[in-house]
Amino acid sequence: MRRSLVFILRMLLLICWPTIVAHAQESHVLGYCTDDLTGAGKFGINAEVRLSGAIYLPNSIMQRYKGGQVTRIRVALSEGIEKPSVWIRTSLTENSKVTQSVGQMTEGWNEVTLNRPLDIDGSGLYVGFTYTQPAGAKGIYVQGEGNANTSLLGIDNVWDDFHYQGVGILCIQAVAEAELPAHDLGVIEMSVDSDFYRSTSQLKATAIVENLGTADKEGYTIDWAIDGKGIDSDETVYGPLAPGETREATHIFNLDGLDEGEHYVQLTLHPVGTDQKVDNDTFRTTFYTYATSYDRMLLLEHFTSLPCVNCPPVDNLLEEVVDARDDVAWVAHHVGYRNDEFTLAASEPYLKFGVTGNPYIMLDRCALFSETPAFVVSTTSAEVLGTYFDMVALRPAFVALTASLVAEEGQLTAAVNGETRSFFQNLYPRATLNVFLVEDDTPSEGTQAGDSNKRRHDNVLRAVLTRQSGDLPGWTDDTHFSQTFTTNADDSWDVNRLRVVAFVTAAADRSTKYPTGEVLNATQATALSPEGVANIPVETTPTPRCYTIDGRLVKGMSTPGLYIVTDSHGSRKVVVR
């Protein structure tokens, strides 16, 4: 049976309240599982790995025990594992605040008294374990149905939320020693409705106030402020709260006049009567404002294959939508339904974005219709599909990219430069740069199922020049980065038909199943060779396929400029005067 953390904590607190008056400190068991392991299952990995698991206790819970200490960790383990230890962290990817080996391990509950108890400051904590297991060992007990805070697993230090895979609640508990005062009103949580706002818009702040004490608490008032200035009382006198009772409060701010950059909303409680802990009467939440954003280029990732009989109609549909725009970089991954001659192993990790066949697409890796970004478009009209592109394009971009690709003597050099708004690194501290090589108008040896006349293919992914999750940008100062990537051209590639596609992604959200976050902006550019350009009049230039110098496919050379033209004679550069 599923049990919520709040329910279990409150039941535990009700048990403890009669004795709190007599003792300065009382033990409080924090966790999502019960002590009874009857009917519990066991979990393991069918491989020899170093396995870690954790539960997350958010600050909305830990605020209650602020000023106390975590003194013990309890974990239910099964025989067959080696070198078990327990730990506490503030982030799954950072060093542990506390770590300690499990002594003489027993089947079932193991309680570890910490040699160095952890002081509780009210912030959220990850409480977990690590052990080595042989293939197939099931070393951790699990109960019931998990949720986003109960079933975090790290396989060789690669973390994921396994409740999506049906893993139940990990049997882990922290034991806190803390005094709960009789009279304590506190702000346990506050959020705003976006991470960033145009400086002419409105912000909505929402806060949760809780009676953290053991006695009924009288009413209160609230003051709100931006950056601690211009105190704005909501003029509401809120009524009493019983122990453990919460109440929501909201406030709307007009952001006119705020400079671009980082700001914070501050809430201050003014309790009526006695309040024994005042350090939780104030809460701050950060947000960012901007006056302008950069132009956005969308990344269209298309999952297709030659054996896919349903793919040609979708190809035509996408071409209709993309030809009407000038803000799309299109990449085709030939994976998802039977491999073909264009299949690249580097495409396979992107199947984790929700691809279960062909044809699928992703737009800037945004989850538009489900938990995952990839979706099917086979029954969608061009008009409707165009609205999806419009929707994604409306997101403000805080990074701008330029790229170039030079081919010389079989070597390809891709250069990428970026510029960001002043707050970009605060908002996206783990953003990564991704670089693809893509080939257009590529002949195939095999035929396309569903369209035997189609023997040339665009947007074929040829290489990934960064790690699958991207590389950290090479920052040259706080708002600029620059990186160069080199590779040798494969004999099967026509370098005159290559494009570089570069894009920046947000870091992966640990609550999702897919490997990287949304695309923050993209760019593309066609390959240039050092042999120079030819001056050819517009009226005498055949233009079966014509690209602008930044890689955009256009219908013709209607305006002066430099173009890349590909036809039966090959690829060349054309200057239109």
Side-chain angles (χ1 to χ4, degrees):
M1 180 178 68
R2 184 173 183 171
R3 295 173 180 265
S4 72
L5 175 61
V6 174
F7 172 79
I8 294 172
L9 288 173
R10 287 178 180 166
M11 291 301 293
L12 289 166
L13 290 172
L14 286 170
I15 295 171
C16 294
W17 283 340
T19 61
I20 286 174
V21 175
H23 303 282
Q25 299 283 331
E26 280 293 328
S27 296
H28 308 276
V29 180
L30 312 181
Y32 300 83
C33 64
T34 66
D35 288 344
D36 186 2
L37 296 179
T38 303
K42 297 179 182 179
F43 178 81
I45 301 294
N46 192 27
E48 183 177 346
V49 294
R50 189 73 171 152
L51 182 68
S52 299
I55 61 172
Y56 180 61
L57 304 173
N59 61 359
S60 58
I61 297 302
M62 298 312 299
Q63 281 289 330
R64 177 182 290 274
Y65 307 99
K66 187 175 181 179
Q69 291 183 320
V70 177
T71 59
R72 288 169 283 163
I73 295 176
R74 305 181 73 237
V75 56
L77 299 174
S78 183
E79 295 177 350
I81 60 174
E82 300 176 354
K83 300 179 181 179
S85 62
V86 294
W87 43 260
I88 302 174
R89 302 175 185 173
T90 55
S91 166
L92 288 176
T93 56
E94 294 179 359
N95 293 332
S96 300
K97 296 290 185 183
V98 173
T99 185
Q100 193 164 318
S101 297
V102 177
Q104 187 64 38
M105 198 202 84
T106 60
E107 179 75 26
W109 283 109
N110 292 261
E111 184 168 289
V112 179
T113 299
L114 300 178
N115 295 330
R116 186 164 54 89
L118 180 71
D119 293 334
I120 300 173
D121 62 8
S123 59
L125 296 176
Y126 292 91
V127 182
F129 66 85
T130 299
Y131 58 69
T132 299
Q133 63 146 77
K138 296 185 176 181
I140 178 69
Y141 281 83
V142 295
Q143 293 179 345
E145 181 182 350
N147 61 51
N149 290 332
T150 69
S151 312
L152 305 167
L153 289 170
I155 302 171
D156 290 334
N157 210 33
V158 178
W159 286 91
D160 203 349
D161 184 346
F162 272 67
H163 96 273
Y164 287 110
Q165 283 77 36
V167 175
I169 300 166
L170 301 184
C171 290
I172 307 170
Q173 298 173 343
V175 181
E177 304 288 339
E179 176 185 4
L180 301 185
H183 302 285
D184 179 23
L185 194 68
V187 189
I188 62 169
E189 187 175 331
M190 185 165 70
S191 61
V192 291
D193 54 343
S194 178
D195 291 328
F196 46 80
Y197 301 84
R198 191 175 290 276
S199 55
T200 56
S201 62
Q202 289 185 325
L203 173 151
K204 180 181 179 181
T206 302
I208 305 296
V209 177
E210 181 174 354
N211 182 353
L212 301 170
T214 61
D216 289 348
K217 191 70 189 76
E218 299 176 72
Y220 57 94
T221 59
I222 294 176
D223 286 338
W224 301 85
I226 296 285
D227 298 335
K229 304 173 184 176
I231 303 301
D232 185 7
S233 173
D234 62 9
E235 299 181 355
T236 300
V237 179
Y238 295 89
L241 288 175
E245 186 179 0
T246 62
R247 182 179 290 132
E248 182 178 284
T250 61
H251 194 75
I252 303 295
F253 291 94
N254 290 313
L255 303 180
D256 292 344
L258 283 186
D259 294 334
E260 177 175 291
E262 181 177 317
H263 301 276
Y264 64 87
V265 176
Q266 178 172 300
L267 178 152
T268 303
L269 281 179
H270 298 288
V272 176
T274 303
D275 190 53
Q276 293 173 258
K277 293 177 68 176
V278 298
D279 56 352
N280 55 17
D281 290 348
T282 301
F283 203 107
R284 292 182 178 181
T285 295
T286 300
F287 67 96
Y288 300 89
T289 58
Y290 66 97
T292 60
S293 58
Y294 297 106
D295 292 337
R296 177 177 287 280
M297 176 167 284
L298 305 179
L299 177 68
L300 166 61
E301 289 176 277
H302 177 202
F303 294 84
T304 185
S305 68
L306 298 184
C308 170
V309 70
N310 295 318
C311 286
V314 172
D315 291 348
N316 296 332
L317 177 65
L318 291 172
E319 286 177 3
E320 183 178 351
V321 174
V322 174
D323 285 351
R325 311 178 67 96
D326 61 359
D327 61 349
V328 180
W330 187 346
V331 177
H333 299 282
H334 281 250
V335 291
Y337 172 72
R338 297 172 58 186
N339 291 349
D340 63 27
E341 62 196 81
F342 298 132
T343 296
L344 194 66
S347 288
E348 293 179 0
Y350 305 114
L351 295 175
K352 294 181 180 179
F353 284 90
V355 179
T356 58
N358 292 151
Y360 269 72
I361 71 167
M362 292 192 294
L363 294 176
D364 271 359
R365 300 183 180 176
C366 293
L368 298 178
F369 308 110
S370 65
E371 291 182 345
T372 55
F375 61 98
V376 179
V377 296
S378 57
T379 60
T380 305
S381 68
E383 181 179 5
V384 172
L385 183 57
T387 64
Y388 303 160
F389 282 72
D390 292 339
M391 183 191 317
V392 175
L394 287 174
R395 297 151 49 241
F398 304 130
V399 56
L401 297 165
T402 59
S404 64
L405 180 63
V406 175
E408 186 171 10
E409 296 182 352
Q411 186 176 69
L412 299 167
T413 302
V416 182
N417 296 290
E419 177 182 291
T420 70
R421 309 306 297 180
S422 60
F423 55 84
F424 180 85
Q425 291 195 64
N426 299 87
L427 190 57
Y428 304 108
R430 300 292 295 175
T432 57
L433 174 64
N434 304 257
V435 181
F436 290 171
L437 291 183
V438 178
E439 186 176 352
D440 293 311
D441 198 28
T442 306
S444 63
E445 295 180 3
T447 58
Q448 171 68 58
D451 185 359
S452 59
N453 294 321
K454 184 172 183 179
R455 301 300 294 267
R456 305 189 77 86
H457 301 267
D458 292 326
N459 315 302
V460 176
L461 180 64
R462 286 305 200 183
V464 177
L465 301 186
T466 53
R467 294 181 299 172
Q468 298 297 326
S469 58
D471 294 345
L472 293 176
W475 295 98
T476 56
D477 59 36
D478 290 341
T479 58
H480 294 85
F481 58 85
S482 180
Q483 279 170 269
T484 300
F485 306 85
T486 60
T487 190
N488 293 324
D490 190 274
D491 290 341
S492 64
W493 303 350
D494 184 339
V495 296
N496 295 308
R497 297 190 177 102
L498 288 178
R499 277 183 289 129
V500 58
V501 174
F503 55 99
V504 172
T505 58
D509 183 343
R510 293 296 179 185
S511 68
T512 63
K513 294 185 289 186
Y514 40 91
T516 58
E518 293 184 359
V519 174
L520 304 176
N521 211 347
T523 192
Q524 61 184 349
T526 52
L528 298 176
S529 300
E531 73 274 8
V533 297
N535 293 313
I536 304 177
V538 178
E539 61 273 15
T540 62
T541 304
T543 57
R545 299 190 70 83
C546 182
Y547 299 87
T548 60
I549 197 64
D550 62 355
R552 290 184 291 110
L553 180 66
V554 293
K555 295 185 180 298
M557 298 182 292
S558 57
T559 59
L562 178 61
Y563 295 87
I564 307 296
V565 174
T566 64
D567 56 20
S568 59
H569 302 291
S571 299
R572 60 192 183 281
K573 300 168 192 67
V574 176
V575 173
V576 177
R577 302 190 185 280

